[in-house]
Amino acid sequence: MQNRTFVFPHYRIDFALVITFLILLGFGVLTIYSAENPGSTTKIMERQFVKQIYWISIGMILFILVGAINYQKIEKYSIVVYVIIVLLLLLTLAIGTRVRGSKSWISITGSIGFQPSEFAKLGVILGLARYLEQKGAEIKSLTNFLLGLGIGLFPAGLILLQPDFGTALVYIPITLVMLYFGGARLSHIISVLIILGISIVIPLLTTFIRLTNPTTPSFVLLLEDTKIIFILSAVFGILSFLTYIFYRITRKEIIYRATVIFLIFFVGLILSALFTKELKPYQKERLIVFLKPTIDPFGAGYNIIQSKIAVGSGGLFGKGLRGGTQSQLGFLPEKTTDFIFSIFAEEWGFVGSFFLISIYGIFIYRNIMILYNARDAFATLVASGILGMFLFHIIINIGMTIGIMPITGIPLPFMSYGGSFVITSIIATSLLFNIEMRRYLR
């Protein structure tokens, strides 16, 4: 789709951005409607597609309100917004309502509530953008980098306490993408990625080996013992301290690099021990079962198997609206949230799925162009955070429905059922619209 814009004396309207996200919202409502049982006796006002329309309507009102305020004025209150979302996350831990095992909702009245962890994504984007803009080139220092990393990941830590592992994961790409565009050293970002890799791979690898081998090897049992992991981390911690002292004496670069490597393993192993202890067995199995769903076809692997059947059965042109057997016969769980792409693919086939992914591609392309053409650093950083959020959601959600990504419970932007997430996505789009609209403002 060619990007069409209309330029007022001071404003630029990005029609490609607006049209693509409206199309996605429309497909979302249609797919949610289609996924419902035609014989359902649920009152019309209580059906999911009707509720989704309500939330979209609220979101569109907020879209207009956010778009009407110059983003440079929003920038002045970005730290206040960040503090508010942190307080909301703390409040959620204190008085939140537990849904599906996670204490992640704040109830307002009866069945009406909201999920602060979704809105917190916007608070992190605004707060971190403000911090990075103020630091400028100083973000290259390790201290300022770690402070920025803390600003981005502290809310993720609070969300992990709920616990909501899937939502907490989204904050990692948001933070790292913003740090990259904020001018952080690539070596610092890569170090963080290696630490995260170590922390996640060990508990997941041991779980996978245990599930795929009739007799669990002894080294797996050792690595599942958090005490052993803490001892290993302590060894690397001592090595990093000793090599650092040696570096201060010799000032040799190779000694400094050894110190960094030991420190990376020290932190990575500590986080690995925490993940091994805190992650429930079923959570670990959900994260690795995509590698081999037949390990547990009626348990952790059931969702992936049914999702792949749904996507594959759509064929070239699909089975038509409400024609999918996986959704209509109830084989596919979480069909309007985590696996809504599976429903869409079954009903619209390869052609429809390709069209949907193309619409997402155009939307992401406009996000990238807005990022690179923004008139100031704050706008660039906000757009980069939104890009990280949307890209991660799209790649992980579609990937997990076709069996190439772990199941993390991450919804598909604009399409998955859920008020807090769809409103957050609409507000994020409004911020992009706001930035592009005021690019020529004098």
Side-chain angles (χ1 to χ4, degrees), residues 15 18 42 75 84 87 146 161 191 198 220 242 257 298 305 310 354 356 364 369 374 380 394 411 431 434 440:
F15 286 109
V18 176
T42 305
E75 177 185 1
I84 289 173
L87 292 176
L146 291 176
L161 295 176
S191 297
I198 294 171
V220 172
L242 293 176
R257 291 183 180 181
F298 299 105
I305 293 171
F354 180 79
L356 179 68
I364 292 298
M369 289 299 100
T380 297
I394 294 167
L431 286 170
N434 193 328
Y440 296 105

Side-chain angles (χ1 to χ4, degrees), residues 15 204 211 251 265 275-277 280 304 318 344 371:
F15 286 109
L204 297 188
L211 290 175
R251 293 293 178 177
F265 274 91
F275 281 137
T276 300
K277 183 179 180 180
K280 305 294 188 294
I304 290 180
F344 184 90
L371 187 162

Side-chain angles (χ1 to χ4, degrees), residues 167-213:
T167 303
L169 279 178
V170 183
Y171 289 80
I172 296 174
I174 289 174
T175 302
L176 295 183
V177 169
M178 292 185 70
L179 286 168
Y180 173 78
F181 281 98
R185 293 182 187 276
L186 191 58
S187 59
H188 290 165
I189 296 174
I190 293 174
S191 297
V192 172
L193 289 173
I194 294 173
I195 288 171
L196 292 173
I198 294 171
S199 65
I200 294 174
V201 165
I202 291 178
L204 297 188
L205 181 63
T206 54
T207 301
F208 183 74
I209 293 174
R210 180 168 46 79
L211 290 175
T212 53
N213 285 271

